Amino acid sequence: MSALLPTPIYDCRSLVEEAVFTACRLELMALKPGNVHIHADGHGMSVAQFLDSAAAIAPILATPGRRVGEAILHAVAATRDVAGCNTNLGIVLLLAPLATAALCRDKGEPLRLRLARVLDGLSVADAADAFAAIRLALPAGLGEAQQHDVAAAPRVDLRAAMAAAADRDLIARQYATAFADVFTFGVARGRSALRRGASPAEAASAIHLGFMALHPDTHVARKHGAAVAERVRAQAFRLERRLSIGSAFGGNSGAARRLLAFDRALKRRGLNPGTSADLTVACLFVLRLAGDLPAGPWPPDDCRRNLIEPTIARDAQCLRSTRLWSAKLWWATATRSLTSISSSARAAAPPRPPSARP
């Protein structure tokens, strides 16, 4: 499918903002063992907090002219204001350079080439802002680093600081490798699942479980140690092999039950493969920009919630937050658009398909 291009009605900033929220919301609709999703909260956090966090960061990450580090710091601060805790530090660290690259459409280059240029241009000031954002978010299991500790003032640019942590943190590794895991594994896996008839939510599940099976999750490793992270990876690998037969996760109740059973087992042990979820959001963002995914929100049937016993209170909480986001997005789009274009025309006009994917 062709990449999305800005039009007079749907500008580049609006495209990036919508893609950020679409990726975040779709990740919450997918069955992701050990993480928060619409089928089960966990780890003292709710779906509503994640939805409100996505609504807060989307316009910040889509603002042209901001340095990557500045966008990271503003997004993390906005998240603390609406959620009161760290719901999306890894997501922000991944999406900030991707969104900056996506906003540079005037050069007509593929997204990853633009991303490489963004990463090459990162500065010490970007590192200082990112370090401040990490301190503000207070991620679990952070600890101290012998080199480029976030508690101290950085002496190198953000990409160099991330490269120093690439062997122990998968998010840092993306900065060092121009997001190799995102583009060569996650995005490719999502496209393969969609071609095999998976729904958007099933494709997100396939990406997430694939990352869990591919690498020991570094969030689990920081909190519980490398041995526990490797055991979780091995369990995910066995489950992934079982569910990969046929179309991606098949859309059958047996697949859903196995994913939910794994989800409950991980949450009983307090294990949260958050890095795999963060990488999934980055992949969904790229897929949305490329036109492989439709714009959200999707109806509940799309993620096959009829297979799961519904929880009325959780559903109501999710819907309240979604309505809040819809109001925020409508108002932001209306105030930025040309005054000569009516709001009804903006809502009805689809993005025009272009000729190349990013």
Side-chain angles (χ1 to χ4, degrees):
M1 195 176 295
S2 298
L4 302 178
L5 287 181
T7 69
I9 296 176
Y10 208 58
D11 62 27
C12 192
R13 178 174 177 174
S14 296
L15 278 171
V16 172
E17 183 175 346
E18 179 267 308
V20 169
F21 188 75
T22 291
C24 292
R25 188 178 191 279
L26 177 55
E27 182 259 347
L28 290 169
M29 296 179 72
L31 277 169
K32 305 183 319 300
N35 296 119
V36 176
H37 45 76
I38 64 170
H39 310 286
D41 294 335
H43 313 291
M45 295 178 287
S46 68
V47 168
Q49 286 175 300
F50 282 82
L51 284 168
D52 290 340
S53 300
I57 69 171
I60 294 171
L61 297 181
T63 301
R66 273 192 171 135
R67 290 183 294 101
V68 169
E70 182 184 6
I72 291 171
L73 182 54
H74 279 77
V76 169
T79 296
R80 298 291 298 191
D81 289 341
V82 300
C85 62
N86 171 31
T87 56
N88 60 9
L89 174 63
I91 291 172
V92 169
L93 289 171
L94 291 169
L95 291 188
L98 282 169
T100 300
L103 290 166
C104 303
R105 287 190 173 272
D106 56 312
K107 296 180 173 57
E109 298 169 334
L111 178 61
R112 197 174 180 193
L113 187 59
R114 285 176 272 153
L115 174 64
R117 190 168 56 249
V118 168
L119 295 172
D120 287 340
L122 294 175
S123 64
V124 176
D126 289 311
D129 285 338
F131 283 17
I134 294 169
R135 293 194 299 269
L136 179 62
L138 288 176
L142 181 61
E144 297 181 359
Q146 294 182 348
Q147 189 179 21
H148 310 309
D149 193 286
V150 297
R155 298 187 300 274
V156 297
D157 64 74
L158 180 55
R159 191 175 197 185
M162 290 291 196
D167 61 338
R168 63 180 186 274
D169 188 278
L170 285 170
I171 292 174
R173 188 167 103 169
Q174 305 316 304
Y175 279 72
T177 63
F179 284 53
D181 289 311
V182 169
F183 284 91
T184 62
F185 178 79
V187 170
R189 185 177 179 82
R191 284 182 176 139
S192 174
L194 291 167
R195 283 197 300 268
R196 293 160 65 189
S199 71
E202 288 171 341
S205 292
I207 294 169
H208 177 260
L209 191 61
F211 275 124
M212 284 186 67
L214 182 66
H215 299 295
D217 190 276
T218 48
H219 182 74
V220 173
R222 280 196 304 273
K223 290 186 66 177
H224 302 278
V228 173
E230 173 55 29
R231 284 197 295 273
V232 172
R233 187 209 62 79
Q235 291 170 336
F237 179 82
R238 290 192 293 270
L239 180 59
E240 196 270 345
R241 292 278 74 81
R242 177 174 292 184
L243 298 183
S244 63
I245 300 173
S247 62
F249 298 151
N252 61 72
S253 58
R257 282 195 297 270
R258 289 190 177 99
L259 288 167
L260 284 172
F262 191 24
D263 178 67
R264 288 190 295 270
L266 291 174
K267 287 173 179 173
R268 279 197 300 267
R269 299 161 61 194
L271 301 176
N272 177 8
T275 302
S276 300
D278 297 337
L279 289 167
T280 299
V281 175
C283 297
L284 296 173
F285 176 75
V286 173
L287 288 168
R288 173 58 191 146
L289 286 180
D292 293 283
L293 291 171
W298 294 271
D301 285 348
D302 184 68
C303 60
R304 305 186 188 275
R305 298 196 61 193
N306 56 311
L307 302 176
I308 315 299
E309 183 179 354
T311 305
I312 296 173
R314 186 183 304 138
D315 291 354
Q317 186 180 44
C318 177
L319 288 172
R320 283 197 300 271
S321 187
T322 303
R323 291 189 191 106
L324 173 63
W325 157 254
S326 299
K328 290 178 180 177
L329 181 59
W330 181 89
W331 179 252
T333 303
T335 54
R336 283 200 308 269
S337 302
L338 298 175
T339 55
S340 60
I341 302 172
S342 69
S343 60
S344 59
R346 286 196 302 275
R352 185 178 304 161
S355 57
R357 67 174 72 247

